[in-house]
């Protein structure tokens, strides 16, 4: 792979929530990796901001600790780490009071790109945005990055949009959905829109159905109190899986440009059918070997789902009779995210078919083992007559593109650099987030009104049996997670 790393313009990135978990696990290590790659210029600065009273040196120690824990050994080098932390500093900030704001105003430079990253609870987004404006720290070309969850329903998302709009224009706001920064997710667009092979077949005439799976082996321990008010539908489907569905289903945009792309995604969300309760399966993991979901959530009566599967229809010409099946869950048998595009059988076969399907299948593997494969049917080698077998045309990105051992860049690396470059293509627009909630809300409301209880599933399984039935009743199957 030829690395084309062009340093960005100089920038000041103010990271609110700099002592928090996301900053340590993702944001600071990603900045460091870009530094190692030569993309972060020498006069770029990272200013940590949080409530705790820390000195610059305390913060630099925290950054060192984060890099030590979350950066691979191959990229760790004492001299490089020293150089990176020298570009980091810290200001204690009181989000709602006056503490720290004057100092921040003095620290950020007007002549460079200014980005403010809110890695904090959404309840203080509005207050922080207002302070940045009223203290004259943010200006019309500063950028604001906000993390998920962007609301818990349509009403709260509208409120957040309105709070941010009071101080920033839409073209300054970068709403993160880190799935959009994943290498294979971007490749989905490259594959769809730069090969003539797929587009003519990419519709209900040739595609039987699409399956989108995001399976995780982790539980919710450690973040149970947040998760229990959210559940898989809000935590994963409304944002990450919705984005995957949109990129798979959208019309080709006229240009790879933020608004053209987001217009097309929005049209998909608006074409989603309401989902009846019979097309939703919710689950909760049972105890063993790790604690059960309700133990992790510390809520014995919890009815929150740690797993969800849905069948979704899209009412437009392209997809009218092609359902999309989505599933995501915690404590499942494998960590595996993929999009499976299952084509139809040939209309007529002149060969005898062995058991099973010979229909083509395009699998886009998001993680681990990023890549894609297209299953095609060929003749089984040998003299035994015309026996057909399905074989994959496999393309694993690491093998096809990467020099030995090179890591795939983390989604955050790409996204943070896009903020600095001022490119909103891989970020969600306010109307898109609201449309996603407008579709999600009635589904959640329906189970809340019914007092729906999630089905129990075993840890290390593929989720509740009922989710299998959701596809079997249509004569279809989920792909095995362990394939
Ligand atoms: C987060 C969710 O947005 O995405 C988590 O809140 C989930 O619950 C995570 O585990 C998955 O992201 P990734 O990049 O590890 O697949």
């Amino acid at each position: 792979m030829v690395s084309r790393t062009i340093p960005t313009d100089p920038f000041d990135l103010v990271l609110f929530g700099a002592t928090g978990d996301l900053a340590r696990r993702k944001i600071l290590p990603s900045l460091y990796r870009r530094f190692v790659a030569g993309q972060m210029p020498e006069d770029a600065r990272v200013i940590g901001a949080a409530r705790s009273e820390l000195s610059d040196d305390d913060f630099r120690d925290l950054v060192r600790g984060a890099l030590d824990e979350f950066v691979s050994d191959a990229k760790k080098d004492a001299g490089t780490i020293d150089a990176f932390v020298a570009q980091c500093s810290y200001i204690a900030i009181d989000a709602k009071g006056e503490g720290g704001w004057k100092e921040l105003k003095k620290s950020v430079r007007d002549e460079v790109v200014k980005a403010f990253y809110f890695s904090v609870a959404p309840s203080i987004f509005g207050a922080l945005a207002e302070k940045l404006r009223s203290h004259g720290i943010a200006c019309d070309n500063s950028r604001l990055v906000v993390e998920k969850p962007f609301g818990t329903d349509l009403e709260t998302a509208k409120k957040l949009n309105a709070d941010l709009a009071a101080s920033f224009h839409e073209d300054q706001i970068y709403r993160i959905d880190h799935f959009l920064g994943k290498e294979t997710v971007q490749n989905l667009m490259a594959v769809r829109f730069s090969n003539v092979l797929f587009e003519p077949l990419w519709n209900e005439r040739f595609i039987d159905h699409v399956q989108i799976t995001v399976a995780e082996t982790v539980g919710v321990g450690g973040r149970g109190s947040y998760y229990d008010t959210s559940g898989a539908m809000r935590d994963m489907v409304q944002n990450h899986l919705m984005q995957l569905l949109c990129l798979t289903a959208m019309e080709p945009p006229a240009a790879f440009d933020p608004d053209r792309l987001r217009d097309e995604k929005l049209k998909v969300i608006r074409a989603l059918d309401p989902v009846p309760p019979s097309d939703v399966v919710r689950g909760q993991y049972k105890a063993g070997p790790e604690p059960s979901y309700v133990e992790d959530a510390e809520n014995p009566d919890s009815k929150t789902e740690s797993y969800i599967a849905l069948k979704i229809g899209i009412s437009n010409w392209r997809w009218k009779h092609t359902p999309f099946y989505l599933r995501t869950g915690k404590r499942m048998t494998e960590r595996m995210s993929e999009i499976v595009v299952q084509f139809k059988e040939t209309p007529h076969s002149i060969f005898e078919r062995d058991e099973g399907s010979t229909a083509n299948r395009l699998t886009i593997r998001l993680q681990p083992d990023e890549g894609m494969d297209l299953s095609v049917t060929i003749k089984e080698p040998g003299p035994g007559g015309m026996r057909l077998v399905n074989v994959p045309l496999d393309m694993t990105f690491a093998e096809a593109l990467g020099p030995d051992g090179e890591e795939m860049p983390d989604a955050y690396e790409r996204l943070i650099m896009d903020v600095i470059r001022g490119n909103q293509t891989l970020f969600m627009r306010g109307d898109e987030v609201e449309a996603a909630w407008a579709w999600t809300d009635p589904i959640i409301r329906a189970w809340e009104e019914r007092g729906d209880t999630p089905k129990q599933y075993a840890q290390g399984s593929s989720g509740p049996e009922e989710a299998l039935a959701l596809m079997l009743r249509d004569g279809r199957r989920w792909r095995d997670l362990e394939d």
Side-chain angles (χ1 to χ4, degrees), residues 26 148 178-179 182 214 216 218 223 226-227 235-236 239-240 330 335 337 367:
K26 293 287 183 185
K148 70 172 271 260
H178 76 281
F179 268 52
K182 290 186 191 272
V214 178
E216 299 181 277
V218 292
R223 57 202 283 264
Y226 148 73
Y227 193 91
D235 185 52
M236 297 293 288
N239 37 69
H240 306 323
K330 306 279 187 201
R335 174 171 183 263
S337 302
Q367 61 195 28

Side-chain angles (χ1 to χ4, degrees), residues 263-321:
D263 289 346
E264 295 307 334
K265 288 196 288 166
L266 182 61
K267 283 187 217 159
V268 174
I269 302 174
R270 291 192 170 145
L272 298 181
D273 293 339
V275 180
S278 55
D279 288 352
V280 181
V281 175
R282 300 167 65 237
Q284 244 181 20
Y285 57 82
K286 298 194 262 195
E290 303 295 333
S292 67
Y293 173 78
V294 292
E295 285 163 330
D296 277 344
E298 296 180 17
N299 178 5
D301 301 322
S302 175
K303 289 186 173 174
T304 302
E305 75 287 352
S306 59
Y307 173 99
I308 191 163
L310 308 110
K311 175 184 176 185
I312 301 172
I314 305 180
S315 280
N316 62 21
W317 276 46
R318 193 184 279 267
W319 297 115
K320 184 64 193 169
H321 297 108

Side-chain angles (χ1 to χ4, degrees), residues 387-409:
R387 292 173 60 88
L388 303 181
V389 284
N390 249 319
V391 293
L393 290 178
D394 192 351
M395 193 181 89
T396 301
F397 291 165
E399 278 170 22
L401 304 171
D404 291 345
E406 174 138 344
E407 298 166 48
M408 278 283 165

Side-chain angles (χ1 to χ4, degrees), residues 116 127 159 169 205 236 287 338 382 414:
F116 303 99
K159 167 95 172 60
H169 305 295
R205 273 187 68 203
M236 297 293 288
E338 64 175 24
R414 165 73 198 251

